[in-house]
PDB file of all heavy atoms in Angstrom:
ATOM      1  N   GLY B 263     -45.816 -71.282  17.134  1.00 93.00           N
ATOM      2  CA  GLY B 263     -46.449 -70.007  17.164  1.00 93.00           C
ATOM      3  C   GLY B 263     -45.493 -69.001  17.976  1.00 93.00           C
ATOM      4  O   GLY B 263     -46.034 -68.104  18.686  1.00 93.00           O
ATOM      5  N   ARG B 264     -44.206 -69.015  17.642  1.00 95.00           N
ATOM      6  CA  ARG B 264     -43.256 -68.096  18.180  1.00 95.00           C
ATOM      7  C   ARG B 264     -42.260 -67.479  17.252  1.00 95.00           C
ATOM      8  O   ARG B 264     -41.875 -68.219  16.203  1.00 95.00           O
ATOM      9  CB  ARG B 264     -42.583 -68.933  19.340  1.00 95.00           C
ATOM     10  CG  ARG B 264     -43.325 -69.282  20.561  1.00 95.00           C
ATOM     11  CD  ARG B 264     -42.435 -70.031  21.573  1.00 95.00           C
ATOM     12  NE  ARG B 264     -43.247 -70.362  22.759  1.00 95.00           N
ATOM     13  CZ  ARG B 264     -42.796 -71.069  23.794  1.00 95.00           C
ATOM     14  NH1 ARG B 264     -41.429 -71.376  23.738  1.00 95.00           N
ATOM     15  NH2 ARG B 264     -43.541 -71.481  24.759  1.00 95.00           N
ATOM     16  N   SER B 265     -41.919 -66.332  17.428  1.00 96.00           N
ATOM     17  CA  SER B 265     -40.780 -65.691  16.873  1.00 96.00           C
ATOM     18  C   SER B 265     -40.020 -65.040  17.894  1.00 96.00           C
ATOM     19  O   SER B 265     -40.442 -64.567  18.907  1.00 96.00           O
ATOM     20  CB  SER B 265     -41.397 -64.629  15.874  1.00 96.00           C
ATOM     21  OG  SER B 265     -40.304 -63.958  15.278  1.00 96.00           O
ATOM     22  N   THR B 266     -38.655 -64.891  17.618  1.00 97.00           N
ATOM     23  CA  THR B 266     -37.713 -64.338  18.310  1.00 97.00           C
ATOM     24  C   THR B 266     -36.852 -63.366  17.655  1.00 97.00           C
ATOM     25  O   THR B 266     -36.678 -63.465  16.497  1.00 97.00           O
ATOM     26  CB  THR B 266     -36.760 -65.144  19.270  1.00 97.00           C
ATOM     27  OG1 THR B 266     -35.994 -65.937  18.150  1.00 97.00           O
ATOM     28  CG2 THR B 266     -37.555 -66.239  19.959  1.00 97.00           C
ATOM     29  N   LEU B 267     -36.410 -62.113  18.341  1.00 97.00           N
ATOM     30  CA  LEU B 267     -35.661 -61.241  17.814  1.00 97.00           C
ATOM     31  C   LEU B 267     -34.320 -61.181  18.685  1.00 97.00           C
ATOM     32  O   LEU B 267     -34.412 -60.846  19.839  1.00 97.00           O
ATOM     33  CB  LEU B 267     -36.078 -59.808  17.711  1.00 97.00           C
ATOM     34  CG  LEU B 267     -35.325 -58.744  17.137  1.00 97.00           C
ATOM     35  CD1 LEU B 267     -34.922 -59.013  15.664  1.00 97.00           C
ATOM     36  CD2 LEU B 267     -35.881 -57.417  17.432  1.00 97.00           C
ATOM     37  N   TYR B 268     -33.206 -61.660  18.154  1.00 98.00           N
ATOM     38  CA  TYR B 268     -31.958 -61.683  18.889  1.00 98.00           C
ATOM     39  C   TYR B 268     -31.205 -60.451  18.330  1.00 98.00           C
ATOM     40  O   TYR B 268     -30.977 -60.228  17.277  1.00 98.00           O
ATOM     41  CB  TYR B 268     -31.279 -62.957  18.387  1.00 98.00           C
ATOM     42  CG  TYR B 268     -29.793 -63.088  18.957  1.00 98.00           C
ATOM     43  CD1 TYR B 268     -29.595 -63.637  20.385  1.00 98.00           C
ATOM     44  CD2 TYR B 268     -28.768 -62.911  18.198  1.00 98.00           C
ATOM     45  CE1 TYR B 268     -28.408 -63.796  20.666  1.00 98.00           C
ATOM     46  CE2 TYR B 268     -27.492 -63.009  18.711  1.00 98.00           C
ATOM     47  CZ  TYR B 268     -27.307 -63.537  19.984  1.00 98.00           C
ATOM     48  OH  TYR B 268     -26.066 -63.661  20.541  1.00 98.00           O
ATOM     49  N   ILE B 269     -30.653 -59.747  19.528  1.00 98.00           N
ATOM     50  CA  ILE B 269     -29.752 -58.553  19.293  1.00 98.00           C
ATOM     51  C   ILE B 269     -28.380 -58.851  19.842  1.00 98.00           C
ATOM     52  O   ILE B 269     -28.396 -59.123  21.098  1.00 98.00           O
ATOM     53  CB  ILE B 269     -30.460 -57.239  19.884  1.00 98.00           C
ATOM     54  CG1 ILE B 269     -31.841 -57.051  19.308  1.00 98.00           C
ATOM     55  CG2 ILE B 269     -29.553 -56.169  19.767  1.00 98.00           C
ATOM     56  CD1 ILE B 269     -32.436 -55.784  20.003  1.00 98.00           C
ATOM     57  N   ALA B 270     -27.478 -58.905  19.062  1.00 98.00           N
ATOM     58  CA  ALA B 270     -26.139 -59.183  19.572  1.00 98.00           C
ATOM     59  C   ALA B 270     -25.383 -57.902  19.994  1.00 98.00           C
ATOM     60  O   ALA B 270     -25.573 -56.829  19.400  1.00 98.00           O
ATOM     61  CB  ALA B 270     -25.343 -59.899  18.498  1.00 98.00           C
ATOM     62  N   ALA B 271     -24.564 -58.061  21.018  1.00 97.00           N
ATOM     63  CA  ALA B 271     -23.679 -56.953  21.475  1.00 97.00           C
ATOM     64  C   ALA B 271     -24.600 -55.705  21.584  1.00 97.00           C
ATOM     65  O   ALA B 271     -24.286 -54.659  20.827  1.00 97.00           O
ATOM     66  CB  ALA B 271     -22.548 -56.887  20.597  1.00 97.00           C
ATOM     67  N   SER B 272     -25.530 -55.611  22.411  1.00 97.00           N
ATOM     68  CA  SER B 272     -26.389 -54.430  22.493  1.00 97.00           C
ATOM     69  C   SER B 272     -25.600 -53.179  22.827  1.00 97.00           C
ATOM     70  O   SER B 272     -24.609 -53.086  23.517  1.00 97.00           O
ATOM     71  CB  SER B 272     -27.598 -54.744  23.485  1.00 97.00           C
ATOM     72  OG  SER B 272     -26.898 -54.924  24.747  1.00 97.00           O
ATOM     73  N   GLN B 273     -26.299 -52.054  22.326  1.00 97.00           N
ATOM     74  CA  GLN B 273     -25.633 -50.747  22.432  1.00 97.00           C
ATOM     75  C   GLN B 273     -26.764 -49.769  22.946  1.00 97.00           C
ATOM     76  O   GLN B 273     -27.945 -50.003  22.816  1.00 97.00           O
ATOM     77  CB  GLN B 273     -25.129 -50.337  21.162  1.00 97.00           C
ATOM     78  CG  GLN B 273     -24.222 -51.144  20.334  1.00 97.00           C
ATOM     79  CD  GLN B 273     -23.890 -50.690  18.942  1.00 97.00           C
ATOM     80  OE1 GLN B 273     -24.512 -49.900  18.377  1.00 97.00           O
ATOM     81  NE2 GLN B 273     -22.966 -51.449  18.405  1.00 97.00           N
ATOM     82  N   PRO B 274     -26.328 -48.701  23.652  1.00 97.00           N
ATOM     83  CA  PRO B 274     -27.351 -47.854  24.219  1.00 97.00           C
ATOM     84  C   PRO B 274     -28.338 -47.285  23.071  1.00 97.00           C
ATOM     85  O   PRO B 274     -29.474 -47.032  23.268  1.00 97.00           O
ATOM     86  CB  PRO B 274     -26.457 -46.684  24.727  1.00 97.00           C
ATOM     87  CG  PRO B 274     -25.278 -47.350  25.179  1.00 97.00           C
ATOM     88  CD  PRO B 274     -25.031 -48.352  24.181  1.00 97.00           C
ATOM     89  N   GLY B 275     -27.780 -47.295  21.818  1.00 97.00           N
ATOM     90  CA  GLY B 275     -28.654 -46.743  20.650  1.00 97.00           C
ATOM     91  C   GLY B 275     -29.744 -47.673  20.196  1.00 97.00           C
ATOM     92  O   GLY B 275     -30.481 -47.457  19.513  1.00 97.00           O
ATOM     93  N   ASP B 276     -29.625 -48.981  20.761  1.00 97.00           N
ATOM     94  CA  ASP B 276     -30.601 -49.981  20.568  1.00 97.00           C
ATOM     95  C   ASP B 276     -31.929 -49.794  21.392  1.00 97.00           C
ATOM     96  O   ASP B 276     -32.887 -50.341  21.259  1.00 97.00           O
ATOM     97  CB  ASP B 276     -30.124 -51.389  20.770  1.00 97.00           C
ATOM     98  CG  ASP B 276     -28.960 -51.802  19.856  1.00 97.00           C
ATOM     99  OD1 ASP B 276     -28.921 -51.244  18.694  1.00 97.00           O
ATOM    100  OD2 ASP B 276     -28.191 -52.591  20.228  1.00 97.00           O
ATOM    101  N   SER B 277     -31.782 -48.824  22.351  1.00 97.00           N
ATOM    102  CA  SER B 277     -32.952 -48.477  23.265  1.00 97.00           C
ATOM    103  C   SER B 277     -34.018 -47.935  22.420  1.00 97.00           C
ATOM    104  O   SER B 277     -33.978 -47.025  21.672  1.00 97.00           O
ATOM    105  CB  SER B 277     -32.538 -47.491  24.263  1.00 97.00           C
ATOM    106  OG  SER B 277     -31.503 -48.087  25.069  1.00 97.00           O
ATOM    107  N   ALA B 278     -35.192 -48.700  22.555  1.00 97.00           N
ATOM    108  CA  ALA B 278     -36.389 -48.306  21.761  1.00 97.00           C
ATOM    109  C   ALA B 278     -37.475 -49.313  22.227  1.00 97.00           C
ATOM    110  O   ALA B 278     -37.201 -50.232  22.934  1.00 97.00           O
ATOM    111  CB  ALA B 278     -36.139 -48.436  20.247  1.00 97.00           C
ATOM    112  N   THR B 279     -38.650 -49.153  21.548  1.00 96.00           N
ATOM    113  CA  THR B 279     -39.672 -50.207  21.737  1.00 96.00           C
ATOM    114  C   THR B 279     -39.722 -51.124  20.548  1.00 96.00           C
ATOM    115  O   THR B 279     -39.576 -50.553  19.425  1.00 96.00           O
ATOM    116  CB  THR B 279     -41.046 -49.654  21.922  1.00 96.00           C
ATOM    117  OG1 THR B 279     -41.054 -48.859  23.177  1.00 96.00           O
ATOM    118  CG2 THR B 279     -42.191 -50.520  21.932  1.00 96.00           C
ATOM    119  N   TYR B 280     -39.715 -52.397  20.656  1.00 97.00           N
ATOM    120  CA  TYR B 280     -39.698 -53.317  19.544  1.00 97.00           C
ATOM    121  C   TYR B 280     -41.087 -53.954  19.450  1.00 97.00           C
ATOM    122  O   TYR B 280     -41.537 -54.537  20.429  1.00 97.00           O
ATOM    123  CB  TYR B 280     -38.528 -54.430  19.775  1.00 97.00           C
ATOM    124  CG  TYR B 280     -37.153 -53.707  19.625  1.00 97.00           C
ATOM    125  CD1 TYR B 280     -36.534 -53.111  20.656  1.00 97.00           C
ATOM    126  CD2 TYR B 280     -36.500 -53.879  18.466  1.00 97.00           C
ATOM    127  CE1 TYR B 280     -35.362 -52.342  20.537  1.00 97.00           C
ATOM    128  CE2 TYR B 280     -35.239 -53.185  18.287  1.00 97.00           C
ATOM    129  CZ  TYR B 280     -34.688 -52.544  19.420  1.00 97.00           C
ATOM    130  OH  TYR B 280     -33.461 -51.795  19.172  1.00 97.00           O
ATOM    131  N   LEU B 281     -41.575 -53.957  18.291  1.00 96.00           N
ATOM    132  CA  LEU B 281     -42.897 -54.473  18.021  1.00 96.00           C
ATOM    133  C   LEU B 281     -42.774 -55.596  16.972  1.00 96.00           C
ATOM    134  O   LEU B 281     -42.104 -55.545  15.943  1.00 96.00           O
ATOM    135  CB  LEU B 281     -43.875 -53.408  17.429  1.00 96.00           C
ATOM    136  CG  LEU B 281     -44.254 -52.316  18.366  1.00 96.00           C
ATOM    137  CD1 LEU B 281     -44.456 -50.973  17.706  1.00 96.00           C
ATOM    138  CD2 LEU B 281     -45.382 -52.661  19.339  1.00 96.00           C
ATOM    139  N   CYS B 282     -43.573 -56.653  17.200  1.00 96.00           N
ATOM    140  CA  CYS B 282     -43.687 -57.721  16.186  1.00 96.00           C
ATOM    141  C   CYS B 282     -45.170 -57.603  15.623  1.00 96.00           C
ATOM    142  O   CYS B 282     -46.137 -57.175  16.447  1.00 96.00           O
ATOM    143  CB  CYS B 282     -43.312 -59.046  16.659  1.00 96.00           C
ATOM    144  SG  CYS B 282     -44.560 -59.744  17.965  1.00 96.00           S
TER     145      CYS B 282
END
Side-chain angles (χ1 to χ4, degrees):
Chain B
R264 292 182 181 176
S265 176
T266 61
L267 179 67
Y268 174 84
I269 302 177
S272 59
Q273 303 170 359
D276 294 330
S277 298
T279 296
Y280 291 81
L281 294 150
C282 69

